[in-house]
Structures are given as structure tokens and as C-alpha cells.
């Protein structure tokens, strides 16, 4: 499980506005890659192109290539809906479905994709919640609303929901920025466990977090507001934090940015 | 709103600052006059509501509290002044409910789908056109809606009028009400829920049906009930399209069918000299207003109780 | 898709690997569903457009031959004699527009005051129920307004109306009209219409007032303004476009009101003299049409009423379109 992502010369647009320019990178299977960089440099935008979520924003479109192993995500005839089943996503703010119970939230993706078998679903509930380190906390209240959990639990519920559809890749856009430190730690632990099975890409504003959880780090920047964001460099996390090759990276990491 | 201006009593707000001594006198007086007038405006607006309810209840309640009112129709009525029997309004109550129900069955799907189009799909010229037309439709006078159905049904096709014609005219009035309230509700559904669903590989239509609609369901129910209440009390199109009968008829598509407004309208000309006709009129008015207000309040209650907390 | 054997996910998902293929066939990924559902949504939108267009077309095409058949000028004649082929809308136009405008003149100050009450003056516990109560005024069926107006209010208001026309009779709008008694005048109709449109005007005005920027209000108070001064400087100017468009919507509703007018307003005899007075009787478009359903005998006689309906439709269309334009302009401003 876990597929390799290969991006080549990717430009991302919102209508006429070019938000991200010329990104090429390779993400190894079953690794954690962190995206860092100042706000507005296009990290989220770029992340969303990896499962074509940018297309739900009016005017969002790309030029370039994104390969998942040997499949081109943007080849004609590829259905973005199928892409998103293969490349899952977790968002900044936990967003469990408010009308559904914890159990129904976990299996929402399966249900909505037509899986009806109760045995399969029950098994999947436990498996996914175990996978998201949440099972012990919620196993007694699976039929309670998901919105009743704490923020950190909600976020792990969202992760359980994402892995229940058995994706190959998991994209996380600042998954901890709305959480307290304890919940953040729980998610970081979870990421360490998930990378045994999934390819993980995480956007974070927290340098320590990037340093703690990721194998590779990519630094994005933009020259000025209104200009597109670029990938400045991408390397082993150790390398980026200890000995970056670009001055901009060093400035950003050491807080001398701007 | 973060500013609690409304919690500051007027006099205190007038003293804010306290430095400006020139404020006393005419400015404070003006402020107090404004406060009094604004309260008065609200209290005056209550007068007609209370007065109308009092009128209708005091004149009609005793009639509708009889069993026959709900069980019998008006078959066997005699000439005004000779008939001593109020009889019932069952035929008109059933007729009103059936006509409004048929209206809802047609109007709600159109309205909800149009709202879905406007919120989930609509971009560009077509969406603006649809939105504009919803506004225009909500301003179409009910008599014009009735006249239009008459022009199509009778003048153009040459068909015979039936109760369903009334429903068709009322559809034109109900669609914009339900559409606008559904639109408001759909807009309240946070985009993050849609994105969460898309990110699970759920197609757009299933996202709408299984995630967006359930989240806004109570609001849609509220809007539909308000729309139902509006058309149930609507009279004008029925004056053109509905053929009153004193007999109970369940069939929308054939024969004449009574409704509460037409029951009133038929008896109004005689009510001055004939207490029985007057009882029928006020009984029907009382039934109608209670029906409409109860459904209306029920709709608001559902909206308030089941609102999804975010 | 719904095999119930075994407990493995791979039975359930379309691909043997347990994962749907990227290059999905339409059914799996819901593309067909999306097409159908999206089509239904667009279709409904188009149905709504078609409704309005069809109303215009049908009324227009059935009105034109009748107007061509008319022996007097359709727009400038006061006569309404359908069987004699002599019909003009002037009297109805006057009655309709004047009652509605007067209704608005009465209703708007109340609506603004009540909207201020609901947003800025009512204690918090009262604001919600008070808004509901005002909204309930809109839920009362118009036939009930008509009954109440003609049976209860008209006789009670006759004295007041006579007094007004005694005192202000020198002004043409308030001149005495001896032939109309019992209080069933345009004046009373205007008051009842004012009550009926009050909730509509209030609702929209309230919405706009509640969006008035808190910062401006705080700033005004911090400068030592009284509450009323704050409202005059920071709330009312902000709400002005909202008040205008709310008034237009109310006007549209008043123009088309049928049964209440039909019940309250005395009909005028055919050869009655022209007067500017509000204490006159008459017919609005809507009331005339509703009252004459029995005269719809086909051909020109139906066409004449359809032509009257068309004029009413155009009138309300224009009024509502203007309201909409004003709102849109404000939105463009505040964005
Ligand atoms: N929905 C959108 N429509 C138009 N422009 C957008 C949208 N979302 C983001 N942008 C623009 O794209 C650029 C990158 O934004 P984003 O990807 O959110 O940055 P980051 O996640 O790195 O903070 C910014 O200039 C932002 O204004
Ligand atoms: Mg971001």
C-alpha cells in the first residue's frame, strides 16, 4: 500500500490568477512529507491538486502532470471522484458530518459509495477507529453524534473516516492548527503509525512538528503578494532544518523571514 | 453582532461620556421621544393582530367547537334566511388541505431543486437569470397567477376547470417561497462538509443528497410549511378557478371541490341578514386562520428546535 | 454491489483490489448520477424562468386581440363595459396605485420604527418573539383581513373618515364623496393594505439594520452621541437602500392584493364623477378581475380582463425588478 507521487512542472490557477508555479517533486511511498512556508504561498492550493480537490473551487485548474505510480491523475477520462477515493484528505478544521453518529461518520465514505453489507461496515468501523487511535475512547458511544467529541477526537474521527475508504495517500492540510498541544501530540503519534501503510503529505505551520513527523520537507515561498508561489527546495527533513541549501529557507526556518 | 447596543438602556446611552454637558436638554429630549415612538410603533402594530384574532375567535370559535363542523359538509342547505342549520365545513377543510397538498407535491421538488441549482451549481448568466425570476415570481400577484392558469387551461386548451387548476396556480406562488428559504438554508451548510465528502470520493450529487440536504433538512421543512400555510390561506386564484360545491369531493381531477376561502366567499353576500350564513363565514374564517397560524408556528418551531448547531 | 456473503470489503467495492480504478466507468463514480441530478437542478431553474415567461406570453397574446377590439382607448378611458366593447383601465389604475402608495406612506415609517425596535431597542428576550408576532401579520389570510375590514373596521371608522373629510375636505385627496357611505373607501383600503405589507417591509428592513457595522455604531456612541443620534448617523444611512427596496417589495404586494380590497371597497356606479378623493370607492385591477370571473365568457370579454391582468403583471414586475436592482447595488457596495 501507499503509492509514489510524481509531480512535474505543475502550475495551478484560480481563474486567471496563477497561484502556484512550476512545482516538480517526488513523494516516496510510505513516507511523511511536510510542506512549510509562509501563508498564502500556495501550500494548500498545491496539496489540493494531488487529489483534484482544487476543482471544486470555481475556476480552479492546473497545467502539468501529477503521476500516482504510473497513473496520470489528469489524463483525460480519469474521474476526479475516483482520484479522491485513492487520495484521501484531512482538513484544518475537524469537519465530522453533524447529522451522523460517530459510527456513521466513519463509514460515510463507504456507505455513500454503495457499500451496504453490515458485517463489512461494522468491521470497518472498528478497524478504522483503531487505526486512528480513537477506538478505546469512543467504542462505548458509537451511536452518539460525532460533533459531541472534543476537537482532537473529532480530528482523529476525520482521519478514521478518511482511512476507512482505504486510500493510498493521505493529504493533511494543517491538521493540528485548530487543536491543543495534547491533541496535537496524539495526531503526531498517529501520523507516525499511519506512514507504515500510507503515503502522507502534511502542510504545517509548526516547524517542530515538521521536524518531528516528516521524512522530507518541502519549503514553499512567494516573491510578493499577487505573485505565484514556488517550491524553493525539498530535501530530507534533517538536511532542510540543519543545512538548507537556499538562503530563503534558512531565513524562514530561523525566523528571520521577511 | 458583538455590539450589545440593545442592552444599553436608552437613558444610559444618552449619558455616555458624561463629559458633554451640552447634551442634556434638547438632545436627551429627542432621544427620549425617539425611544417612546419606536416602542409605540411596535405596540400599535400589535393592535390589528390582536383585534383580528379576537374578532375571528369570538365570532367563529363556538361554531368550530361543534362536532358537526368537522364531520359534515353543507349538503341540504336551504335558502338564506330559511335555513336554520349551520352544518359543517368538512368538504371545505378537505378541499383546502388537498389543494394545498397537491400544490406542495409539485412545488416543493421544483423549489428545492431550483435552490440546489442556485447554491450548488449556479454560475454566470443562467443562475442570475433564475435568481431574478424567482424574485419576480415571488412578486407575481396571486390573481395574476390564477388568471394565467385560466388563460392556459380554459381559453387556450378549452378544458374544463377542476380543483387541480387551483393547485397549479398556487404552485406559482409557493415555488418562490420555498425556493428562497431552502436557498438560505443551503447557504448555511458549511463548505467544509461538502469538501469532506468530496475528499472521500463521493460524487457531487450524492454529497448534495446525503450530506447537504440532511444538514439543512429542518430548514427546508420549515420553508415548506410556511409555503403550505401561505397557499392554504390564498383566496384570489380560487375566485377565478375554483367552482364551489356544498358536497364533499375527494377527487382533485373531477367535479367541483370546496375550499375554506370559497366557502366564506359564497356565504358572505348573505351574512348581513342571516345569522346562519354569518356563522358559516366566521366558522370558516376561524378554521382557516387557525390552520394557517398553527402550520406557520409549527414550521418556525421545527426550524428553531432542530437547527444544527455548528 | 450488495452481496451479503463474507465480510471482506473487496466484495463490496467494484475493483477486485478493494479499490475503484481511477479510470472509472461512469456508473461507479457517479458521473451518470451527477449528470442526471445536475440536469434536474438546471431543469428546475429553467422551469422557474419558463413560468414567468409563459405568464407574460399567455397574458400578452390573449390581451392583444381584446385591446384591438376595444372601441375606447384602453389606457386613458375610465369606462369599463366589457360587453359593449368599451373598456379602459384609467380608473382602476388610479385606484390601484393610489391605495398602494398611500398604504406604503403609512406602513414604511412604522416598519422602520419596528425594525429599529427589533434590532436596537427591544430587550433581548423580547426581540425574537416580537419578530415572530410581526411575521404572523403576514400569515393572516387576506380574506380574513377583508372580512375584518369590511364588517368590523369600516363601520367603526366611518365617523373618523367623515371628520377627516370635514376638516381637510378643501384638499382634493380628502374631499367628501357623499355617494360612498359606510366607510368602505380607498382610505380604509389603504390602511388595511398598510397592515398587510407591514411585515414584509419590516422583515427586510430589519435584516439590513442588523447588518449595520457595529464599529460605526460604537464610534458614534464613543463620541458621546445619544442612542438616537447614533441610529441617525450609523444605522439609518446604512439601511437606506434596504428601506427603499423593502418599500418596493411592499408596494408590489399591495398592488396585487385582491380579496381584502374586493371585500372592503365599494364599487362605483358606471357613470360616477371623477374625483381625486381617497374617500371614493372603486376597483383595483385585482379586485375587478376576481369579482368578474363570471363574465369570463370567452373572446373579448375574457380578453379585456386578461389585458387588465397584464397591466397589473407589468406594474408588479417593474416594481419588483427595481427593488431587486436596489438590493444588488447595495450588495455590490458592501462587498
Ligand atoms: N478559493 C480561492 N479562490 C481564489 N484564490 C484563492 C483561493 N484559495 C486561495 N487562493 C489564493 O491562492 C494563493 C495561495 O493560497 P493558499 O493555497 O491557501 O496558501 P497557503 O495554504 O500556503 O496559506 C493565495 O494568493 C490565495 O489568495
Ligand atoms: Mg493553507
Amino acid at each position: 500500500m501507499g503509492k509514489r507521487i510524481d509531480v512535474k512542472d505543475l502550475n495551478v490557477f484560480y481563474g486567471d490568477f496563477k497561484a502556484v508555479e512550476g512545482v516538480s517533486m517526488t513523494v516516496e511511498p510510505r513516507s511523511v512529507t511536510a510542506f512549510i512556508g509562509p501563508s498564502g504561498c500556495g501550500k494548500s492550493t498545491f496539496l489540493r491538486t494531488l487529489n483534484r480537490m482544487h476543482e471544486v473551487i470555481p475556476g480552479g485548474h492546473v497545467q502539468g502532470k501529477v503521476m500516482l505510480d504510473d497513473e496520470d491523475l489528469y489524463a483525460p477520462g480519469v474521474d476526479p471522484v475516483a482520484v479522491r477515493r485513492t487520495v484521501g484528505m484531512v482538513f484544518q478544521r475537524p469537519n465530522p458530518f453533524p447529522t451522523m453518529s460517530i459510527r456513521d461518520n466513519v463509514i460515510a465514505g463507504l456507505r455513500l459509495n454503495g457499500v451496504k453489507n453490515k458485517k463489512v461496515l461494522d468491521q470497518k468501523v472498528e478497524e478504522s477507529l483503531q487505526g486512528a487511535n480513537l477506538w478505546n475512547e469512543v467504542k462505548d458511544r458509537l451511536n452518539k453524534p460525532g460533533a459531541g467529541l472534543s476537537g482532537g477526537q473529532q480530528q482523529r474521527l476525520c482521519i478514521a473516516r478518511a482511512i476507512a475508504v482505504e486510500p493510498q495517500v493521505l493529504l493533511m492540510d494543517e491538521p493540528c492548527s485548530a487543536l491543543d498541544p495534547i491533541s496535537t501530540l496524539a495526531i503526531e503519534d498517529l501520523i507516525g503509525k499511519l506512514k507504515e501503510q500510507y503515503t502522507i503529505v502534511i502542510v504545517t505551520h509548526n516547524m517542530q512538528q515538521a521536524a518531528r513527523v516528516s521524512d522530507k520537507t518541502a519549503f514553499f515561498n512567494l516573491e510578493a503578494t499577487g505573485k505565484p508561489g514556488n517550491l524553493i527546495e525539498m530535501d530530507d527533513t534533517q538536511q532542510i532544518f540543519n543545512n538548507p541549501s537556499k538562503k530563503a529557507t534558512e531565513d524562514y526556518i530561523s525566523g528571520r523571514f521577511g | 453582532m458583538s455590539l450589545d447596543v440593545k442592552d444599553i438602556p436608552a437613558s444610559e446611552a444618552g449619558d455616555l461620556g458624561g463629559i458633554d454637558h451640552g447634551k442634556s436638554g434638547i438632545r436627551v429630549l429627542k432621544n427620549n421621544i425617539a425611544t417612546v415612538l419606536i416602542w409605540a410603533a411596535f405596540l400599535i402594530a400589535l393592535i390589528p393582530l390582536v383585534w383580528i384574532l379576537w374578532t375571528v375567535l369570538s365570532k367563529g370559535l363556538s361554531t368550530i367547537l361543534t362536532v358537526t363542523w368537522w364531520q359534515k359538509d353543507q349538503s341540504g342547505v336551504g335558502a338564506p334566511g330559511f335555513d336554520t342549520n349551520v352544518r359543517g365545513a368538512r368538504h371545505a377543510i378537505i378541499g383546502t388541505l388537498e389543494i394545498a397538498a397537491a400544490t406542495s407535491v409539485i412545488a416543493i421538488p421544483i423549489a428545492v431543486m431550483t435552490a440546489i441549482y442556485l447554491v450548488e451549481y449556479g454560475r454566470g448568466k443562467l443562475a442570475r437569470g433564475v435568481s431574478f425570476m424567482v424574485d419576480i415570481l415571488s412578486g407575481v400577484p396571486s390573481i395574476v397567477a390564477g388568471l394565467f392558469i385560466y388563460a392556459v387551461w380554459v381559453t387556450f386548451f378549452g378544458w374544463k376547470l377542476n380543483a387541480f387548476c387551483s393547485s397549479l396556480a398556487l404552485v406559482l406562488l409557493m415555488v418562490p417561497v420555498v425556493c428562497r428559504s431552502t436557498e438560505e438554508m443551503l447557504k448555511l451548510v458549511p463548505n467544509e462538509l461538502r469538501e469532506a465528502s468530496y475528499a472521500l470520493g463521493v460524487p457531487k450529487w450524492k454529497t448534495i443528497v446525503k450530506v447537504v440536504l440532511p444538514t439543512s433538512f429542518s430548514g427546508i421543512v420549515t420553508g415548506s410549511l410556511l409555503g403550505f400555510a401561505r397557499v392554504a390561506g390564498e383566496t384570489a386564484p380560487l375566485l377565478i378557478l375554483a367552482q364551489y360545491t356544498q358536497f364533499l369531493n375527494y377527487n382533485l381531477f373531477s367535479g367541483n371541490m370546496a375550499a375554506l376561502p370559497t366557502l366564506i366567499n359564497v356565504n358572505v353576500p348573505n351574512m348581513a341578514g342571516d345569522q346562519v350564513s354569518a356563522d358559516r363565514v366566521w366558522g370558516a374564517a376561524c378554521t382557516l386562520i387557525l390552520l394557517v397560524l398553527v402550520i406557520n408556528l409549527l414550521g418556525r418551531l421545527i426550524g428553531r428546535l432542530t437547527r444544527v448547531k455548528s | 454491489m450488495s452481496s451479503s456473503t463474507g465480510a471482506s470489503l473487496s466484495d463490496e467495492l467494484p475493483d477486485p483490489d478493494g479499490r475503484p480504478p481511477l479510470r472509472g466507468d461512469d456508473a461507479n463514480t457517479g458521473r451518470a448520477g451527477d449528470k442526471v441530478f445536475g440536469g434536474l437542478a438546471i431543469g428546475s431553474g429553467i422551469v422557474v424562468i419558463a413560468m414567468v415567461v409563459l405568464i407574460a406570453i399567455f397574458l400578452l397574446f390573449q390581451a392583444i386581440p381584446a385591446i384591438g377590439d376595444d372601441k375606447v382607448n384602453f389606457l386613458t378611458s375610465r369606462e369599463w363595459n366589457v360587453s359593449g366593447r368599451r373598456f379602459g383601465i384609467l380608473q382602476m389604475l388610479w385606484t390601484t396605485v393610489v391605495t398602494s402608495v398611500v398604504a406604503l406612506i403609512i406602513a414604511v415609517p412604522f416598519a422602520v420604527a419596528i425594525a429599529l425596535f427589533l434590532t436596537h431597542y427591544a430587550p433581548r428576550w423580547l426581540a425574537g418573539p416580537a419578530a415572530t408576532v410581526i411575521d404572523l401579520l403576514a400569515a393572516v389570510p387576506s380574506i380574513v383581513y377583508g372580512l375584518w375590514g369590511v364588517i368590523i373596521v369600516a363601520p367603526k371608522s366611518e365617523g373618523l373618515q367623515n371628520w377627516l373629510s370635514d376638516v381637510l375636505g378643501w384638499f382634493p385627496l380628502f374631499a367628501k364623496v357623499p355617494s360612498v357611505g359606510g366607510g368602505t373607501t380607498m382610505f380604509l383600503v389603504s390602511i388595511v393594505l398598510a397592515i398587510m405589507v407591514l411585515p414584509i417591509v419590516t422583515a427586510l428592513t430589519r435584516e439590513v439594520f442588523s447588518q449595520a457595522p457595529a464599529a460605526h455604531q460604537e464610534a458614534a456612541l464613543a463620541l458621546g452621541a445619544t442612542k438616537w443620534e447614533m441610529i441617525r448617523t450609523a444605522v439609518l444611512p446604512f439601511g437606506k437602500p434596504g428601506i427603499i427596496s423593502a418599500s418596493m417589495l411592499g408596494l408590489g404586494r399591495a398592488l396585487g392584493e385582491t380579496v381584502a380590497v374586493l371585500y372592503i371597497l365599494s364599487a362605483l356606479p358606471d357613470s360616477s364623477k371623477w374625483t381625486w378623493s381617497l374617500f371614493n370607492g372603486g376597483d383595483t385591477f385585482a379586485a375587478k378581475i376576481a369579482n368578474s370571473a363570471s363574465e369570463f365568457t370567452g373572446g373579448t370579454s375574457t380578453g379585456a380582463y386578461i389585458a387588465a391582468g397584464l397591466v397589473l403583471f407589468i406594474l408588479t414586475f417593474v416594481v419588483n425588478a427595481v427593488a431587486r436592482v436596489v438590493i444588488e447595488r447595495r450588495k455590490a457596495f458592501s462587498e
Side-chain angles (χ1 to χ4, degrees):
Chain A
M1 270 198 168
K3 290 192 179 179
R4 176 196 311 275
I5 305 169
D6 257 309
V7 183
K8 227 171 136 68
D9 284 332
L10 198 76
N11 300 322
V12 196
F13 301 84
Y14 292 112
D16 295 332
F17 172 62
K18 193 191 245 183
V20 176
E21 186 175 38
V23 175
S24 300
M25 69 164 64
T26 300
V27 176
E28 294 299 331
R30 290 179 301 282
S31 71
V32 178
T33 303
F35 291 177
I36 60 171
S39 293
C41 66
K43 303 179 298 293
S44 302
T45 300
F46 174 68
L47 188 75
R48 291 166 76 101
T49 62
L50 302 182
N51 70 346
R52 296 182 67 166
M53 277 296 286
H54 68 287
E55 289 174 12
V56 307
I57 296 165
H61 62 104
V62 298
Q63 289 166 353
K65 224 174 188 174
V66 178
M67 302 291 291
L68 198 62
D69 281 359
D70 44 9
E71 282 190 283
D72 181 354
L73 293 191
Y74 290 95
V78 170
D79 189 331
V81 172
V83 171
R84 292 175 203 143
R85 278 180 212 164
T86 311
V87 184
M89 189 157 192
V90 175
F91 298 84
Q92 179 169 358
R93 278 204 2 217
N95 52 3
F97 297 123
T99 52
M100 298 182 192
S101 65
I102 293 171
R103 178 178 187 277
D104 289 345
N105 259 292
V106 175
I107 50 177
L110 296 173
R111 273 251 184 89
L112 293 175
N113 285 322
V115 179
K116 296 203 182 78
N117 187 325
K118 187 161 179 309
K119 236 166 43 194
V120 175
L121 292 175
D122 281 341
Q123 182 192 327
K124 206 68 200 169
V125 170
E126 176 165 358
E127 193 182 305
S128 309
L129 286 171
Q130 296 271 22
N133 288 348
L134 190 60
W135 173 251
N136 287 329
E137 290 158 67
V138 301
K139 64 175 183 239
D140 301 322
R141 44 170 169 162
L142 290 176
N143 291 318
K144 294 269 161 58
L149 298 174
S150 76
Q153 289 173 323
Q154 286 189 19
Q155 193 62 298
R156 277 178 283 149
L157 176 61
C158 291
I159 292 172
R161 181 176 69 184
I163 59 179
V165 291
E166 298 184 0
Q168 302 284 347
V169 180
L170 211 49
L171 309 176
M172 300 183 168
D173 192 353
E174 302 184 35
C176 303
S177 65
L179 305 182
D180 61 275
I182 308 265
S183 309
T184 299
L185 224 67
I187 303 267
E188 286 179 10
D189 282 350
L190 176 58
I191 291 172
K193 169 169 133 184
L194 289 172
K195 82 168 183 181
E196 290 162 18
Q197 278 191 59
Y198 307 96
T199 307
I200 292 177
V201 183
I202 176 172
V203 176
T204 177
H205 273 294
N206 180 334
M207 305 289 174
Q208 287 83 3
Q209 180 169 69
R212 280 195 298 267
V213 302
S214 69
D215 304 307
K216 298 254 184 177
T217 297
F219 173 60
F220 287 78
N221 203 353
L222 80 174
E223 284 164 26
T225 43
K227 292 266 174 62
N230 314 96
L231 173 61
I232 302 298
E233 64 174 314
M234 175 171 175
D235 210 331
D236 287 343
T237 299
Q238 289 296 326
Q239 188 71 17
I240 290 277
F241 278 90
N242 295 330
N243 192 13
S245 59
K246 296 269 167 52
K247 176 126 184 350
T249 316
E250 193 178 341
D251 287 351
Y252 182 74
I253 285 167
S254 56
R256 267 181 281 132
F257 182 75
Chain B
M1 288 244 331
S2 58
L3 174 65
D4 284 340
V5 178
K6 69 174 79 156
D7 288 343
I8 305 173
S11 56
E12 214 176 281
D15 281 338
L16 253 185
I19 317 153
D20 187 356
H21 296 292
K23 188 193 287 174
S24 48
I26 200 131
R27 291 174 62 203
V28 171
L29 183 68
K30 270 190 188 168
N31 187 48
N32 291 344
I33 292 176
T35 307
V36 169
L37 287 181
I38 283 169
W39 271 88
F42 171 69
L43 295 175
I44 291 173
L46 297 182
I47 295 174
L49 186 64
V50 174
W51 192 357
I52 289 172
L53 287 177
W54 168 250
T55 302
V56 174
L57 289 177
S58 66
K59 289 176 182 284
L61 200 60
S62 59
T63 305
I64 72 168
L65 288 180
T66 60
V67 179
T68 39
W69 181 256
W70 302 92
Q71 281 186 342
K72 287 220 156 64
D73 60 15
Q74 292 275 311
S75 43
V77 316
F82 296 93
D83 196 343
T84 55
N85 199 340
V86 175
R87 296 186 182 77
R90 187 184 183 83
H91 61 314
I93 295 165
I94 301 269
T96 287
L97 292 177
E98 262 193 43
I99 291 170
T103 305
S104 308
V105 167
I106 302 171
I108 291 173
I110 296 177
V112 171
M113 289 308 284
T114 303
I116 287 175
Y117 169 71
L118 288 175
V119 177
E120 308 287 337
Y121 291 89
R123 296 266 136 33
K125 279 212 177 88
L126 182 61
R128 278 209 303 281
V130 171
S131 182
F132 178 72
M133 287 307 184
V134 172
D135 274 353
I136 293 300
L137 203 55
S138 71
V140 167
S142 51
I143 189 79
V144 171
L147 203 57
F148 163 64
I149 296 299
Y150 188 92
V152 175
W153 195 273
V154 178
T155 315
F156 188 74
F157 287 114
W159 295 334
K160 218 167 111 44
L161 285 172
N162 59 32
F164 186 64
C165 297
S166 304
S167 293
L168 286 179
L170 296 176
V171 166
L172 299 174
L173 308 176
M174 189 168 183
V175 164
V177 177
V178 179
C179 180
R180 278 286 173 250
S181 61
T182 304
E183 210 186 328
E184 293 304 312
M185 291 304 136
L186 295 182
K187 281 185 190 154
L188 288 181
V189 175
N191 233 344
E192 286 130 42
L193 294 184
R194 297 184 180 89
E195 299 208 325
S197 176
Y198 293 144
L200 293 172
V202 178
K204 181 164 185 165
W205 75 273
K206 268 197 183 166
T207 300
I208 295 171
V209 172
K210 297 282 176 72
V211 175
V212 177
L213 286 182
T215 309
S216 51
F217 184 73
S218 69
I220 297 171
V221 170
T222 299
S224 301
L225 284 172
L226 295 184
F228 186 98
R230 168 163 184 205
V231 299
E234 189 59 66
T235 308
L238 308 198
L239 295 182
I240 302 178
L241 298 171
Q243 322 280 42
Y244 178 74
T245 169
Q246 63 260 49
F247 302 106
L248 180 56
N249 171 20
Y250 287 103
N251 192 339
L252 278 170
F253 298 96
S254 99
N256 300 336
M257 185 184 267
L260 286 165
T262 50
L263 171 62
I264 294 173
N265 198 49
V266 161
N267 282 286
V268 160
N270 308 317
M271 68 190 290
D274 178 27
Q275 187 54 41
V276 173
S277 298
D279 285 345
R280 290 176 190 147
V281 167
W282 290 115
C286 195
T287 315
L288 188 62
I289 207 169
L290 289 180
L291 177 79
V292 167
L293 289 187
V294 165
I295 293 175
N296 193 293
L297 288 173
L298 186 73
R300 289 165 194 278
L301 196 68
I302 289 179
R304 194 153 309 164
L305 290 185
T306 57
R307 189 170 299 152
V308 174
K309 293 165 198 86
S310 53
Chain C
M1 280 277 250
S2 58
S3 94
S4 51
T5 56
S8 111
L9 188 58
S10 32
D11 283 357
E12 295 284 330
L13 286 174
D15 186 49
D17 188 24
R19 251 166 299 287
L22 285 189
R23 227 164 268 273
D25 56 304
D26 288 357
N28 283 336
T29 56
R31 267 199 184 164
D34 267 336
K35 279 207 184 97
V36 172
F37 192 80
L40 281 176
I42 293 186
S44 299
I46 290 171
V47 165
V48 169
I49 294 183
M51 284 174 178
V52 179
V53 173
L54 284 178
I55 292 175
I57 288 177
F58 268 86
L59 296 185
L60 194 61
F61 278 81
Q62 297 188 18
I64 288 174
I67 295 176
D69 229 11
D70 196 353
K71 293 197 184 116
V72 294
N73 188 312
F74 179 69
L75 292 177
T76 59
S77 170
R78 287 172 52 217
E79 253 182 283
W80 191 267
N81 175 355
V82 170
S83 51
R85 304 264 180 282
R86 302 173 65 81
F87 48 89
I89 56 165
L90 193 61
Q91 181 84 46
M92 281 191 270
L93 186 65
W94 165 257
T95 312
T96 306
V97 172
V98 167
T99 49
S100 304
V101 170
V102 173
L104 255 286
I105 292 173
I106 301 169
V108 170
F110 272 95
V112 171
I114 295 170
L116 282 177
F117 176 78
L118 297 174
T119 53
H120 288 82
Y121 281 84
R124 183 154 291 188
W125 60 269
L126 181 61
T132 305
V133 167
I134 297 295
D135 281 348
L136 284 187
L137 273 176
V140 173
S142 52
I143 196 167
V144 174
Y145 276 108
L147 285 174
W148 172 72
V150 69
I151 294 172
I152 311 291
V153 187
K156 285 200 168 35
S157 73
E158 195 180 359
L160 171 73
Q161 296 193 43
N162 284 336
W163 179 78
L164 271 177
S165 59
D166 284 342
V167 178
L168 298 172
W170 49 271
F171 188 60
L173 268 182
F174 296 99
K176 223 174 191 54
V177 184
S179 58
V180 180
T184 55
T185 61
M186 288 163 65
F187 179 81
L188 178 59
V189 166
S190 301
I191 291 177
V192 174
L193 287 179
I195 300 168
M196 296 177 76
V197 301
L198 182 70
I200 298 161
V201 185
T202 305
L204 194 71
T205 309
R206 177 185 54 161
E207 201 185 310
V208 185
F209 283 170
S210 69
Q211 292 162 357
H216 294 182
Q217 301 178 42
E218 275 170 342
L221 288 177
L223 288 174
T226 62
K227 186 166 186 176
W228 172 242
E229 284 164 345
M230 178 274 281
I231 282 170
R232 273 198 20 207
T233 51
V235 179
L236 289 182
F238 177 84
K240 203 164 149 202
I243 299 173
I244 294 173
S245 56
S247 309
M248 296 307 270
L249 291 182
L251 183 62
R253 186 55 66 87
L255 290 170
E257 176 48 43
T258 309
V259 200
V261 181
L262 174 66
Y263 278 14
I264 295 172
L265 200 53
S266 295
L268 284 181
D270 276 341
S271 54
S272 56
K273 260 191 25 232
W274 173 264
T275 156
W276 300 98
S277 176
L278 283 177
F279 297 110
N280 201 7
D283 268 310
T284 62
F285 287 108
K288 187 84 173 176
I289 296 165
N291 200 24
S292 314
S294 57
E295 286 184 40
F296 293 5
T297 49
T300 303
S301 51
T302 311
Y305 290 101
I306 288 181
L310 177 67
V311 177
L312 177 58
F313 176 68
I314 294 171
L315 218 52
T316 51
F317 188 104
V318 170
V319 165
N320 282 296
V322 170
R324 162 121 187 164
V325 169
V326 175
I327 295 180
E328 295 283 299
R329 277 247 288 283
R330 186 183 78 86
K331 274 192 192 140
F333 246 110
S334 59
E335 261 164 24

